[in-house]
Amino acid sequence: MPGSEETLARLHELADPARLGGMARSGIGGGTAIGVTVAELRALAKELGRDHELAAGLWDSGVHEARILASMVEDPAQVEEPQLERWAAGFDSWDLCDQVCQNLVRYTPSAWTTALEWSGRPEPFVKRAGFATMAGLAVADKRSDDARFEPFLRAVAERADDDRPLVRKGASWALRAIGKRSPALRTRAVETALVLRDGGPGARWVAADVLRGLR
């Protein structure tokens, strides 16, 4: 199994600096990107397989694409809360936040409690990560019944009124994903959105976005 230094060298071979301008305009990269596509990262991750130590080394490099790759090769079963907190503190762009949540956080043993806890945090990327993990669980967790999503619906209702675009978009994503899970949850998500219409500017934005998506 290659180590982090060898894997970083492979990332630099794949990198195309011509991509950086477009990435920056889309808010991707957080200033540490080197120009590797997500498709290239997924192909490399499939080749590498799961490796907890490699994931740690890639994350510690600070390179944007290396951190996304770390979320792809990490073993969710070996991830504990202190690691999640360290990684969340390193979120510096919406795409890194979302990739880590979809590739890793939603599959960890503490995913449900992490989603709730993070959605109540003041840091914008961590709060978005809470909502992104809710959205991911709505898609990935095939076994949970509808009742398990009630705490998420309450959390969105209480926490969606946020003027920061990346946060309110995360809240909308969570509510729409939950609503698409079943007819009963669609009804509950619409009810939640209707309540949000009476809230502040952020809540009203989420309500409009969700109602467009679910009606």
Side-chain angles (χ1 to χ4, degrees), residues 3-125:
S4 58
E5 292 301 321
E6 181 179 344
T7 305
L8 283 166
R10 293 188 64 183
L11 286 176
H12 281 282
E13 290 173 359
L14 292 169
D16 181 356
R19 298 167 175 157
L20 295 177
M23 294 170 68
R25 287 190 292 275
S26 299
I28 293 173
T32 63
I34 58 175
V36 184
T37 68
V38 171
E40 290 169 333
L41 293 174
R42 293 198 184 285
L44 182 54
K46 185 176 181 179
E47 176 186 335
L48 293 170
R50 299 289 186 183
D51 189 324
H52 182 61
E53 291 186 7
L54 175 60
L58 291 171
W59 187 268
D60 289 344
S61 75
V63 175
H64 179 72
E65 290 90 342
R67 287 187 159 184
I68 292 177
L69 182 61
S71 73
M72 296 175 176
V73 302
E74 178 61 282
D75 178 3
Q78 296 190 59
V79 176
E80 298 180 349
E81 185 176 349
Q83 178 182 340
L84 287 175
E85 287 297 321
R86 287 196 304 274
W87 285 28
F91 294 161
D92 57 4
S93 64
W94 64 266
D95 67 308
L96 177 61
C97 169
D98 293 357
Q99 286 288 338
V100 172
C101 291
Q102 301 312 303
N103 298 332
L104 178 64
V105 180
R106 63 175 168 173
Y107 299 111
T108 61
S110 64
W112 288 82
T113 55
T114 296
L116 278 175
E117 198 276 322
W118 281 359
S119 71
R121 294 270 286 274
E123 308 98 311
F125 288 115

Side-chain angles (χ1 to χ4, degrees), residues 148-171:
R148 196 171 189 189
F149 289 88
E150 283 295 327
F152 287 178
L153 291 167
R154 291 195 296 271
V156 173
E158 295 168 0
R159 300 165 182 175
D161 191 12
D162 196 309
D163 289 337
R164 296 170 292 187
L166 69 93
V167 175
R168 68 189 187 196
K169 289 178 181 178

